[in-house]
Amino acid sequence: MPYPRRIAMISLHTSPLATPGVGDAGGLNVYVAELARRLGERGLGVDVFTRRSDPGVPDVVHVNEYVRVVQVTAGPVAEIAKEQLPGLLDDFATAMEPQVADHQVLHSHYWLSGLVARTLRTRHQLPMVHTMHTMARVKNELRGDGHATEPDVRERGEAQIVADADILTANTTDEADELRRHYGARDDQIAVVPPGVDLHTFHPCDQPRSRAQLGVAQDAEVILFVGRIQPLKAPDVLIRAAARLVRERPERRRRLRLIIIGSPSGPEAGWAATLPRLAEELGIADVVEFRPHSPRAELFRWYCVSDVVGVPSHNESFGLVALEAQACGRPVVATDVGGLRHAVDDGATGLLVPGHDPAEWALAIGSILDDPEGSQWLGAGAAVHAATFSWSNTAASTLRAYAAAQRAYARSRHP
């Protein structure tokens, strides 16, 4: 069966046009934007359907010759809490329905979009590919103490999506195992499609020049966090680890800087306000700097400024921040969980920490800061490792997943 020529990609709750790090925008946005662009470069027509939340954005935004972002009106034309979106799924599917007739495959991202795709798959008899990005049962299993659980409606929705999707794409073999273990996905239903990294934007760079450009002292020891400010991402672990580094070696205070870049996100957005208070309680308010989200070109410079990038998430389906940092030649210290085990080559491009004990994080980060020669070796390995991931490869694997979905759907219609 030939590859499809036109794809209806659904990203209901967040637009690929949004800036990562703002609200619910993050790695999923980057994934959808980069994948759609690379598929368009192969001559596929891709329409990315997203919920209209900004009246100033045109109905259709042309990304390139073959890729469009289409605004779908469902509910108020405004930003609303993600928890309210399940009540708008039927409206979204109905509004989108007249526009999917000339597409050959539906590709949904995240569970809200997946439920819309289920409806359209039935009504239009189209093959369905779904990418989870994160899963409720995995997040609930790995959540930190006191953190909110994912709602039952999401767990039920994801189970329905797995039951109906023709192909499920997983970032890693670990994620494929989670789909089988938590949701009963079949082996022939899963395609492993690793994400990529934009190597044109993120690449090895000149640290002294970047520090001079952004006003960071040349002798500073810089730990960097990038991401949405929410309990799942656990930037508080880095604050506690930094406090321990200062406590163990007080002379380090003059040089040490922990820079946290990102904006509050999700139902626990108020949690972000506890972080400056935590830094003050631990006596390192002068060490920790909070910065809002940055455009990607500026974010590149902040990666370049850093000595080590921390990714202490409780769970990541892959961890694009870890990959971007490594593409810039920066060692990464990350939690030994989920996709981070694949994004970071432990001991060769950075270090994996088995949990969230600040003492263990301080030990790992300190070992990199205290060994400039070893840090350079890790950074060089990180750049080589990251270069093996490309969005072009992601697009090629996704095309194969689309063809597999067409075959699976044909078999289901004509056993």
Side-chain angles (χ1 to χ4, degrees):
M1 183 174 292
Y3 292 128
R5 303 310 303 164
R6 195 163 188 81
I7 309 300
M9 202 172 284
I10 310 173
S11 181
L12 181 153
H13 80 288
T14 183
S15 169
L17 304 175
T19 301
V22 181
D24 287 318
L28 184 154
N29 300 71
V30 175
Y31 189 108
V32 172
E34 295 287 354
L35 174 60
R37 185 178 295 111
R38 295 313 191 278
L39 290 172
E41 289 169 358
R42 284 166 165 72
L44 270 74
V46 181
D47 288 333
V48 184
F49 295 91
T50 190
R51 195 186 76 85
R52 184 191 301 280
S53 60
D54 182 350
V57 177
D59 292 348
V60 177
V61 176
H62 291 269
V63 176
N64 62 28
E65 197 162 347
Y66 289 97
V67 178
R68 308 184 306 167
V69 176
V70 182
Q71 311 290 321
V72 178
T73 300
V77 182
E79 296 288 348
I80 63 173
K82 195 157 55 175
E83 295 70 37
Q84 296 177 260
L85 292 175
L88 301 178
L89 299 186
D90 288 343
D91 290 348
F92 189 97
T94 299
M96 182 181 160
E97 190 168 355
Q99 305 182 69
V100 300
D102 60 343
H103 297 77
Q104 285 87 52
V105 171
L106 298 163
H107 186 178
S108 50
H109 296 266
Y110 194 64
W111 72 281
L112 294 166
S113 301
L115 292 178
V116 171
R118 282 182 74 236
T119 299
L120 296 174
R121 178 184 187 269
T122 301
R123 292 178 184 174
H124 289 271
Q125 300 183 353
L126 290 173
M128 173 184 167
V129 174
H130 181 72
T131 305
M132 286 286 194
H133 293 279
T134 60
M135 289 175 265
R137 290 173 182 169
V138 176
K139 291 179 73 173
N140 286 339
E141 183 179 64
L142 298 174
R143 69 187 177 91
D145 293 339
H147 296 170
T149 58
E150 291 296 311
D152 290 344
V153 64
R154 178 176 177 182
E155 287 196 26
R156 292 194 302 271
E158 288 175 347
Q160 292 169 340
I161 291 163
V162 171
D164 288 353
D166 297 290
I167 292 292
L168 300 161
T169 71
N171 289 328
T172 65
T173 53
D174 282 358
E175 187 179 356
D177 289 340
E178 289 168 345
L179 282 166
R180 296 185 191 96
R181 180 162 62 94
H182 288 287
Y183 294 94
R186 306 182 311 275
D187 288 348
D188 64 352
Q189 195 182 12
I190 301 172
V192 176
V193 179
V197 63
D198 181 356
L199 299 171
H200 295 289
T201 300
F202 302 105
H203 51 79
C205 45
D206 186 323
Q207 187 185 66
R209 176 186 170 191
S210 298
R211 290 189 171 190
Q213 186 174 329
L214 294 178
V216 177
Q218 295 296 337
D219 67 342
E221 296 180 328
V222 179
I223 307 164
L224 181 68
F225 171 90
V226 173
R228 289 173 288 160
I229 309 303
Q230 57 182 202
L232 175 70
K233 303 294 184 181
D236 57 306
V237 172
L238 296 181
I239 296 174
R240 297 181 189 279
R244 193 174 186 94
L245 288 169
V246 169
R247 189 163 60 249
E248 291 173 349
R249 286 177 45 187
E251 74 279 5
R252 178 164 247 155
R253 176 186 295 275
R254 183 187 66 82
R255 300 190 314 277
L256 189 66
R257 286 185 65 181
L258 169 58
I259 301 174
I260 296 176
I261 298 178
S263 299
S265 172
E268 297 175 273
W271 179 82
T274 68
L275 298 182
R277 293 200 297 269
L278 176 62
E280 194 162 338
E281 290 167 5
L282 295 172
I284 59 165
D286 57 323
V287 170
V288 184
E289 177 182 346
F290 296 92
R291 301 186 62 85
H293 63 276
S294 296
R296 291 173 72 71
E298 183 181 333
L299 187 58
F300 160 71
R301 283 293 165 203
W302 284 111
Y303 284 131
C304 297
V305 158
S306 70
D307 292 297
V308 58
V309 176
V311 187
S313 304
H314 287 275
N315 182 55
E316 290 283 355
S317 60
F318 193 74
L320 288 177
V321 165
L323 208 54
E324 291 171 353
Q326 290 175 104
C328 296
R330 295 297 174 260
V332 171
V333 177
T335 317
D336 185 7
V337 66
L340 291 171
R341 295 174 180 141
H342 299 262
V344 179
D345 188 350
D346 188 28
T349 71
L351 299 173
L352 294 175
V353 181
H356 293 87
D357 183 346
E360 294 188 1
W361 277 82
L363 181 64
I365 291 170
S367 69
I368 292 175
L369 295 178
D370 293 335
D371 183 6
E373 185 176 337
S375 176
Q376 287 186 355
W377 182 82
L378 286 174
V384 172
H385 176 65
T388 64
F389 295 88
S390 75
W391 288 114
S392 180
N393 289 342
T394 304
S397 296
T398 302
L399 269 175
R400 290 192 288 272
Y402 291 162
Q406 288 180 301
R407 292 192 296 270
Y409 185 76
R411 285 196 300 270
S412 70
R413 299 266 300 163
H414 306 287

